[in-house]
Amino acid sequence: MTGRRLVYMDHAATTPAAPEIVEAMLPYFTERFGNPSSIYGIARESKAAIDTAREQVAHAINASPEEIYITSGGTESDNWAIKGVAYAHRKRGKRIITSAIEHHAVLHTCQYLERQGFEVTYLPVDEFGRVSLSALADAITDETILVSIMAANNEIGTLEPIADCARICRERGVYFHTDAVQAIGSVPVDVRAQDVDLLSLSAHKFYGPKGIGALYIRKGVRLDNLLHGGSQEQRHRAGTENLAGIVGMGAAIERAVGRQEEYARRLTSLRKRLLSGIMERIEHVRLNGHPTERLPGNLNCSFEFIEGEGMLLLLDHAGVAASTGSACTSGSLEPSHVLLAIGLEHATAHGSLRLTLGESNTEADVDYVLEALPPIVERLRTMSPLYADYRRSCNVQ
Amino acid sequence: MTGRRLVYMDHAATTPAAPEIVEAMLPYFTERFGNPSSIYGIARESKAAIDTAREQVAHAINASPEEIYITSGGTESDNWAIKGVAYAHRKRGKRIITSAIEHHAVLHTCQYLERQGFEVTYLPVDEFGRVSLSALADAITDETILVSIMAANNEIGTLEPIADCARICRERGVYFHTDAVQAIGSVPVDVRAQDVDLLSLSAHKFYGPKGIGALYIRKGVRLDNLLHGGSQEQRHRAGTENLAGIVGMGAAIERAVGRQEEYARRLTSLRKRLLSGIMERIEHVRLNGHPTERLPGNLNCSFEFIEGEGMLLLLDHAGVAASTGSACTSGSLEPSHVLLAIGLEHATAHGSLRLTLGESNTEADVDYVLEALPPIVERLRTMSPLYADYRRSCNVQ
Amino acid sequence: MYSEKVMEHFMNPRNQGEIENPDGVGEVGNPKCGDIMKIFLKVKDDRIEDVQFQTFGCGAAVASSSMATELIKGKTLEEAWDLSNKAVAEALGGLPPVKMHCSVLAEEGIHKAINDYRVKQGLELWKEKPGASHAHADDACEI
Amino acid sequence: MYSEKVMEHFMNPRNQGEIENPDGVGEVGNPKCGDIMKIFLKVKDDRIEDVQFQTFGCGAAVASSSMATELIKGKTLEEAWDLSNKAVAEALGGLPPVKMHCSVLAEEGIHKAINDYRVKQGLELWKEKPGASHAHADDACEI
Ligand SMILES: Cc1ncc(COP(=O)(O)O)c(C=O)c1O
Ligand SMILES: Cc1ncc(COP(=O)(O)O)c(C=O)c1O
């Protein structure tokens, strides 16, 4: 990439840590490195730093500090919430409900539990990727112990009605977990107002470091521990604390939630510019996800007749970092389960492109992509037998 | 502590990250932050950085890179190894063998499995903390699926005969896991020569960052995943990679293993100076752990008639950071299970002090501790009714 | 972890020592749990003229002994009997939850010393109030 | 991820296009799995005078088409038939394991185009060697 323009539009995959966040973390690697479980000076300082970070996380989602448990990221939080409730309550029931468009950290965890004898319902979603509340209500039985519905989808950006889901679960006495990994910093999250029991978050999605996250566990919710060992995290999550990471997460969530409104406003405007620019310049494009109820920075489109990986490679060549729902690096050949769940044909799903905006992006970036993309799509279409067939069929008519 | 001398002698709890390690990590927070699962330039760079780190870890323990799976630390590695084998092989048998002196990450995991219907044998140890090979051989039955014995004990520093344990397990067709968290960088570790199937390590014990570790899984060993989700780590450990942490761990293990011999030599000599100084200056002291087969930097002594926390507080006041096997911050009142397992009386166990040396320590540090400690012990003894009783009993005689 | 007050009392314990020929002695706790407290009383006209302690235990145990003895010095035996563990903990600016038993130990030590005095004086024993907390029930180190 | 050679062929594909009135055409793959390859042949004197391809698919699919067509251009039909997917992958400096099926697709596409030519010429079909690999068995996208 050296010397070339880099337009990073894959903020849903990960964000860079903000320089001031790294700055805040630095002392905790080398100087303030004490193990918070010890009692001497630098250990007490570590303990205090963790307490502060825990308060920052709690404050950001309107929880109490004792309800925040630090983990190694969104995946661990999702695994813990789901397996933890499943194992603790299996005597009461073995049914779990989730949606068809969850992140793999939820889906594969549920599939693992199915192999352990649990029964999982995967709620379908509509063409915009929204779960239906009545379908949820219908799916709950006496044996249902947990419902897990994500706050915002990582691929198509659709926001789920989690407050409504939580209300239904509360009425039926079922725990409600939400994967809010993509939501934090982009849309308001309030565990009290939304009345959720468990919530997952991950720092690297809001300009904090990777490898650190948290699980909110409402006071009184009972679940098995996932990692056993020392008595860290109020005896619920063992392991020497990732001190610098925790400090970084605390600082990053405070920063992100503080600027959330402005962030959302700015990204929404950039996204609209990007979408209308694409629609003006390129034919046979489909917007994936909800037109308005979506993450401010998320744009996901399918370009008919072409495949996503080729787009990514050519965009990369042009200095644009993006992502696709096509099965390129995943080691599977099936396209994204999310795109199939909203009803896309396989070929259309393979032709999807996800552009996720973030702090670094400017109107100039958007305009740059709008210049770079049309010839790329054109070039791949020229190469595509599907496009040739389509053209032939038009000429015939 | 400001302006005061700080002698850090709690390296077994955690080590500071070496400045050059932090230096190596820095670019991966802000510039080279790409998600390694993506395919554009900065993502490929991330992938390459992880590959390098994996090779560094593999090389350090004489494994192949594909046998190294990155985790969030020693606790996760221990949990994964033990639960992973237990869950994958429970049809074959439900018996696990470990020792009575393992770290809580192993012991509490085993206890959790006991609640899930597994049977765990906790091998006793001798007065020096060594497991008996014949006891191990006797304990293995047809239903035994896993043996987990630590390479080096974190409290008393005793080295376990893991190559011999592994040989017995190999002969009996049982998987052998070793928690080598304390061993890496201090004593030679070689998974081929020692013939272990699974090995846990954690970067913050060898001057790397906290919150990152690895599990070595010999090719062909079958175990369930612990964290389900994305297809990271050859589909065996999900979660966006802690990129900076991984780079730090790779650099740190290369550094640590490269200087291991010199490190061991230097710390052994410091430890001997410390031990003989203590023995010369203070009466009624007992050395805990093996006199020679121990971690170079580990010194653990019991001071009769006094309790450990008081020593720590006074040492802290003198600028010395140390640790105890007394039940101070652990939230339990029972002293260390390790000290009890080697046969200490409760009161003696409560009076233990662990001083663990590391890179920063000098002879001057040792001499400083040798000056600071005797009056502290004296002071606490003056306060102690046990010491008064003892004195009275001597006078009576 | 500890309040400043706790640290201050731990670093500079008041009334630490032994009274020769005390009028009452109370020893509580056990080595298993890592804390033993011994309270010595000198009593004159039903009043605690002097009090000293010896403690094997953690910082909170030492600080609790120090504070408790300070609080009963010069008081009548009745007043001293009424000193609750909570009052000790409060006077110390609070104790960590896992350390509350140390203040209980101090209360118990004082009670035991007072009753030892009363036995020696040929007086009947005072009874613990119903529901009084115990530092270590039956030798088990539960908290 | 990809070798330089793969990227070079992806960025500058050889023989990409359509042949009007081809002597043989082969289309393989399916949209479900995300790759479709179409091979057009111009044959003269049992020799591949021209070959062109169209591909819907990932970088490896495009590069495999490009390389495979390059390798058979000017060759006899027999020689072209004998081109194995491994030879294509090797010529590309290797393919990631999950992308090997792309080279298989290229081999299959060529075979299909050759047999299409043979059918049109009223010749019998050539048979796949036993044990030949298939890119997508039965419409399932296994790899
Ligand atoms: C919605 C969602 N859930 C969970 C995760 C997993 O988080 P992490 O990669 O931090 O483990 C991600 C991102 O990778 C995500 O987007
Ligand atoms: C022997 C041993 N095992 C496991 C662990 C757990 O490692 P971590 O704290 O990195 O999770 C430690 C240290 O805490 C240890 O000393």
Side-chain angles (χ1 to χ4, degrees):
Chain A
M1 294 295 97
T2 6
R4 289 240 320 288
R5 182 177 188 121
L6 174 63
V7 174
Y8 183 74
M9 286 204 188
D10 201 15
H11 289 85
T14 193
T15 59
E20 65 265 37
I21 299 302
V22 181
E23 203 60 52
M25 294 166 66
L26 276 184
Y28 294 92
F29 286 113
T30 48
E31 315 262 300
R32 306 178 163 218
F33 67 92
N35 189 321
S37 299
S38 307
I39 68 172
Y40 38 80
I42 58 162
R44 292 194 305 267
E45 283 173 19
S46 299
K47 177 96 173 39
I50 291 177
D51 288 346
T52 302
R54 197 185 310 283
E55 278 161 26
Q56 287 167 319
V57 174
H59 187 254
I61 61 170
N62 196 22
S64 307
E66 323 82 67
E67 296 174 317
I68 303 300
Y69 297 85
I70 293 157
T71 68
S72 65
T75 297
E76 184 187 327
S77 296
D78 285 343
N79 273 260
W80 184 10
I82 296 170
K83 293 177 188 165
V85 168
Y87 293 154
H89 297 277
R90 65 177 134 199
K91 295 242 167 69
R92 191 157 65 77
K94 296 190 120 190
R95 298 184 83 99
I96 295 170
I97 298 170
T98 187
S99 86
I101 63 163
E102 297 296 313
H103 189 269
H104 283 150
V106 168
L107 285 186
H108 289 167
T109 298
C110 287
Q111 286 160 7
Y112 179 73
L113 289 176
E114 287 184 282
R115 295 197 291 277
Q116 315 298 314
F118 288 84
E119 279 179 61
V120 182
T121 305
Y122 301 91
L123 295 177
V125 293
D126 66 18
E127 57 176 320
F128 303 119
R130 306 258 293 184
V131 296
S132 133
L133 297 173
S134 61
L136 170 60
D138 290 349
I140 297 177
T141 73
D142 284 353
E143 278 117 62
T144 305
I145 52 176
L146 178 69
V147 172
S148 177
I149 305 286
M150 68 200 320
N153 183 271
N154 45 304
E155 291 191 42
I156 56 174
T158 299
L159 305 177
E160 301 298 334
I162 59 166
D164 296 322
C165 294
R167 187 177 35 72
I168 292 169
C169 292
R170 180 74 63 217
E171 285 165 13
R172 306 286 293 272
V174 175
Y175 284 146
F176 180 70
H177 166 252
T178 189
D179 174 342
V181 167
Q182 291 286 340
I184 303 286
S186 284
V187 293
V189 172
D190 181 323
V191 294
R192 297 262 171 276
Q194 293 166 324
D195 201 24
V196 308
D197 295 308
L198 300 131
L199 178 143
S200 303
L201 59 89
S202 184
H204 73 98
K205 306 290 188 183
F206 47 81
Y207 307 92
K210 300 187 217 307
I212 192 85
L215 180 63
Y216 157 79
I217 307 177
R218 171 198 287 273
K219 214 173 289 169
V221 169
R222 212 163 51 75
L223 73 173
D224 275 16
N225 290 352
L226 184 67
L227 293 183
H228 296 85
S231 48
Q232 291 89 354
E233 296 301 296
Q234 306 173 71
R235 307 173 154 263
H236 287 298
R237 199 285 189 184
T240 301
E241 295 88 341
N242 178 349
L243 190 54
I246 293 170
V247 167
M249 173 165 66
I253 202 167
E254 183 171 283
R255 176 180 178 281
V257 168
R259 51 176 74 182
Q260 182 266 317
E261 275 185 47
E262 171 55 18
Y263 187 68
R265 192 160 36 238
R266 219 175 65 80
L267 297 196
T268 301
S269 134
L270 289 178
R271 186 193 79 224
K272 288 186 172 160
R273 185 187 185 93
L274 187 56
L275 176 61
S276 55
I278 288 173
M279 292 299 179
E280 275 162 29
R281 286 169 179 76
I282 307 177
E283 281 189 314
H284 310 297
V285 183
R286 186 203 131 107
L287 173 67
N288 297 319
H290 199 282
T292 55
E293 291 298 298
R294 67 187 302 136
L295 288 169
N298 173 295
L299 185 64
N300 189 312
C301 293
S302 284
F303 297 83
E304 298 282 350
F305 316 120
I306 61 177
E307 193 269 350
E309 192 195 280
M311 273 190 277
L312 295 197
L313 292 172
L314 293 169
L315 281 170
D316 178 39
H317 189 72
V320 178
S323 151
T324 175
S326 187
C328 41
T329 52
S330 71
S332 131
L333 298 176
E334 285 279 340
S336 148
H337 64 286
V338 177
L339 298 176
L340 298 181
I342 58 172
L344 263 59
E345 301 275 337
H346 276 76
T348 312
H350 276 295
S352 79
L353 179 69
R354 183 185 71 175
L355 295 162
T356 45
L357 300 153
E359 285 182 4
S360 66
N361 295 134
T362 59
E363 290 200 350
D365 285 355
V366 168
D367 295 345
Y368 180 77
V369 171
L370 289 176
E371 249 179 70
L373 190 57
I376 288 173
V377 172
E378 180 59 26
R379 174 172 173 172
L380 292 171
R381 283 185 176 163
T382 310
M383 215 182 268
S384 166
L386 297 177
Y387 192 56
D389 291 350
Y390 166 76
R391 292 283 291 269
R392 234 179 326 267
S393 75
C394 294
N395 289 344
V396 167
Q397 282 163 10
Chain B
M1 292 294 100
T2 6
R4 289 244 318 290
R5 182 177 188 121
L6 173 64
V7 175
Y8 183 73
M9 286 202 185
D10 201 16
H11 290 85
T14 193
T15 59
E20 66 265 38
I21 299 302
V22 180
E23 203 61 52
M25 294 167 66
L26 276 184
Y28 294 91
F29 287 112
T30 48
E31 315 260 304
R32 308 179 163 216
F33 66 92
N35 189 321
S37 299
S38 307
I39 67 171
Y40 38 79
I42 58 163
R44 293 194 304 266
E45 283 173 17
S46 299
K47 177 96 174 40
I50 291 177
D51 288 346
T52 302
R54 198 187 308 283
E55 278 161 26
Q56 287 168 318
V57 174
H59 186 251
I61 62 171
N62 195 22
S64 307
E66 324 81 66
E67 296 174 317
I68 303 299
Y69 297 84
I70 292 157
T71 68
S72 67
T75 297
E76 185 188 326
S77 296
D78 285 344
N79 273 259
W80 184 11
I82 296 169
K83 292 176 188 165
V85 168
Y87 293 154
H89 298 276
R90 64 177 134 198
K91 296 241 166 72
R92 191 156 67 77
K94 298 190 117 189
R95 299 183 84 100
I96 294 169
I97 298 170
T98 185
S99 86
I101 62 162
E102 297 295 311
H103 189 269
H104 283 151
V106 168
L107 285 185
H108 289 168
T109 298
C110 288
Q111 286 159 9
Y112 178 74
L113 288 176
E114 287 184 284
R115 295 196 292 278
Q116 314 299 314
F118 289 84
E119 276 179 66
V120 182
T121 305
Y122 301 91
L123 296 177
V125 293
D126 66 17
E127 58 177 319
F128 303 119
R130 306 258 291 183
V131 297
S132 133
L133 296 173
S134 61
L136 169 59
D138 291 348
I140 297 177
T141 73
D142 285 352
E143 277 117 62
T144 305
I145 51 176
L146 178 69
V147 172
S148 177
I149 305 287
M150 68 201 318
N153 182 271
N154 46 303
E155 291 191 43
I156 56 174
T158 300
L159 305 177
E160 300 298 333
I162 57 165
D164 296 321
C165 294
R167 186 177 35 72
I168 292 169
C169 291
R170 181 75 62 215
E171 285 164 11
R172 306 286 292 273
V174 175
Y175 285 146
F176 180 70
H177 167 250
T178 189
D179 174 341
V181 168
Q182 291 286 340
I184 303 285
S186 284
V187 292
V189 172
D190 181 323
V191 294
R192 297 264 172 272
Q194 293 165 327
D195 201 23
V196 308
D197 295 309
L198 301 131
L199 178 143
S200 303
L201 58 89
S202 183
H204 73 98
K205 307 288 189 185
F206 48 81
Y207 307 93
K210 301 188 217 307
I212 193 83
L215 181 62
Y216 156 78
I217 307 177
R218 171 196 285 272
K219 214 173 291 172
V221 168
R222 211 163 52 75
L223 73 173
D224 274 15
N225 290 352
L226 184 66
L227 293 184
H228 295 85
S231 48
Q232 292 89 355
E233 297 301 297
Q234 307 173 69
R235 307 174 155 260
H236 287 300
R237 199 285 189 182
T240 302
E241 295 89 341
N242 177 351
L243 189 54
I246 293 170
V247 168
M249 173 165 65
I253 202 166
E254 183 171 283
R255 176 180 178 279
V257 169
R259 52 176 73 183
Q260 181 266 318
E261 275 184 47
E262 169 54 19
Y263 187 69
R265 193 159 37 237
R266 220 176 63 80
L267 297 197
T268 302
S269 132
L270 289 178
R271 186 192 81 223
K272 288 186 171 159
R273 184 187 185 93
L274 187 56
L275 176 61
S276 57
I278 288 173
M279 293 300 182
E280 275 162 26
R281 285 168 180 78
I282 307 176
E283 282 189 313
H284 311 299
V285 183
R286 186 202 131 109
L287 172 68
N288 296 319
H290 200 282
T292 56
E293 292 297 299
R294 67 189 302 137
L295 288 170
N298 174 295
L299 185 65
N300 190 312
C301 294
S302 284
F303 297 84
E304 299 282 349
F305 317 121
I306 61 177
E307 192 270 350
E309 192 194 282
M311 273 190 277
L312 295 198
L313 293 171
L314 293 169
L315 281 169
D316 178 40
H317 189 72
V320 179
S323 153
T324 175
S326 189
C328 40
T329 52
S330 72
S332 129
L333 297 175
E334 284 279 337
S336 148
H337 63 286
V338 177
L339 298 176
L340 298 180
I342 59 172
L344 263 59
E345 300 276 334
H346 275 76
T348 312
H350 277 295
S352 79
L353 179 70
R354 182 184 74 175
L355 295 162
T356 45
L357 300 153
E359 284 182 4
S360 67
N361 296 133
T362 58
E363 290 200 351
D365 285 356
V366 168
D367 295 345
Y368 180 78
V369 171
L370 289 176
E371 248 178 68
L373 189 57
I376 287 172
V377 172
E378 180 60 26
R379 176 173 171 172
L380 292 171
R381 283 183 176 164
T382 311
M383 217 183 268
S384 166
L386 297 177
Y387 192 57
D389 290 350
Y390 166 77
R391 292 284 292 269
R392 233 180 325 268
S393 75
C394 294
N395 289 343
V396 167
Q397 281 162 9
Chain C
M1 174 192 182
Y2 285 137
S3 71
E4 269 180 45
K5 200 90 195 169
V6 170
M7 283 308 294
E8 206 269 313
H9 272 263
F10 171 72
M11 297 303 294
N12 309 291
R14 331 289 197 256
N15 312 311
Q16 179 237 306
E18 200 170 339
I19 295 178
E20 304 259 334
N21 308 316
D23 298 322
V25 184
E27 184 171 321
V28 289
N30 71 55
K32 184 149 184 253
C33 306
D35 40 25
I36 299 173
M37 231 177 253
K38 195 164 178 181
I39 305 281
F40 304 84
L41 297 179
K42 197 89 213 165
V43 180
K44 197 168 175 189
D45 300 337
D46 218 40
R47 218 168 253 287
I48 295 173
E49 201 182 51
D50 193 14
V51 52
Q52 298 277 314
F53 77 88
Q54 283 178 335
T55 290
F56 162 86
C58 64
V62 173
S64 295
S65 323
S66 169
M67 178 56 84
T69 52
E70 196 69 349
L71 287 171
I72 62 169
K73 203 169 183 174
K75 297 281 158 66
T76 64
L77 288 178
E78 287 82 2
E79 285 167 339
W81 185 272
D82 283 345
L83 178 73
S84 73
N85 80 299
K86 292 206 182 57
V88 175
E90 264 163 38
L92 286 168
L95 284 173
V98 299
K99 299 293 191 181
M100 278 305 288
H101 73 278
C102 294
S103 63
V104 175
L105 215 56
E107 182 189 323
E108 289 179 350
I110 291 168
H111 287 185
K112 206 158 177 189
I114 290 175
N115 268 338
D116 180 56
Y117 164 79
R118 293 184 60 84
V119 165
K120 285 180 180 155
Q121 300 298 312
L123 301 169
E124 82 199 285
L125 296 188
W126 284 344
K127 295 234 168 63
E128 299 287 341
K129 292 205 189 78
S133 35
H134 287 280
H136 309 298
D138 303 331
D139 242 44
C141 300
E142 295 300 317
I143 37 173
Chain D
M1 175 191 183
Y2 286 135
S3 70
E4 267 179 48
K5 199 92 195 164
V6 170
M7 282 310 293
E8 207 269 313
H9 273 263
F10 171 71
M11 296 304 294
N12 308 293
R14 331 288 199 256
N15 313 312
Q16 180 236 304
E18 202 170 339
I19 295 178
E20 304 261 333
N21 308 316
D23 298 320
V25 184
E27 185 171 322
V28 289
N30 71 56
K32 185 153 185 248
C33 306
D35 38 27
I36 299 174
M37 232 177 252
K38 195 165 179 180
I39 305 281
F40 303 85
L41 298 179
K42 197 92 213 159
V43 180
K44 200 172 172 184
D45 301 337
D46 217 41
R47 221 169 250 288
I48 296 175
E49 200 182 51
D50 193 15
V51 52
Q52 298 277 311
F53 77 88
Q54 283 179 334
T55 290
F56 162 85
C58 64
V62 172
S64 296
S65 323
S66 168
M67 178 56 84
T69 52
E70 196 67 352
L71 287 171
I72 62 170
K73 203 169 182 173
K75 297 281 159 65
T76 65
L77 289 176
E78 286 81 0
E79 284 166 339
W81 184 272
D82 283 344
L83 178 73
S84 73
N85 81 298
K86 292 206 182 56
V88 175
E90 263 164 39
L92 286 168
L95 283 173
V98 300
K99 298 293 191 182
M100 277 306 286
H101 73 280
C102 295
S103 63
V104 175
L105 215 55
E107 182 190 323
E108 288 179 352
I110 291 169
H111 287 185
K112 208 160 176 188
I114 290 176
N115 269 338
D116 180 55
Y117 165 78
R118 293 183 61 84
V119 164
K120 284 180 183 151
Q121 301 297 314
L123 302 167
E124 76 190 297
L125 296 187
W126 285 345
K127 296 236 170 63
E128 299 287 339
K129 292 204 192 80
S133 35
H134 287 281
H136 308 300
D138 303 331
D139 242 44
C141 301
E142 294 301 314
I143 39 173

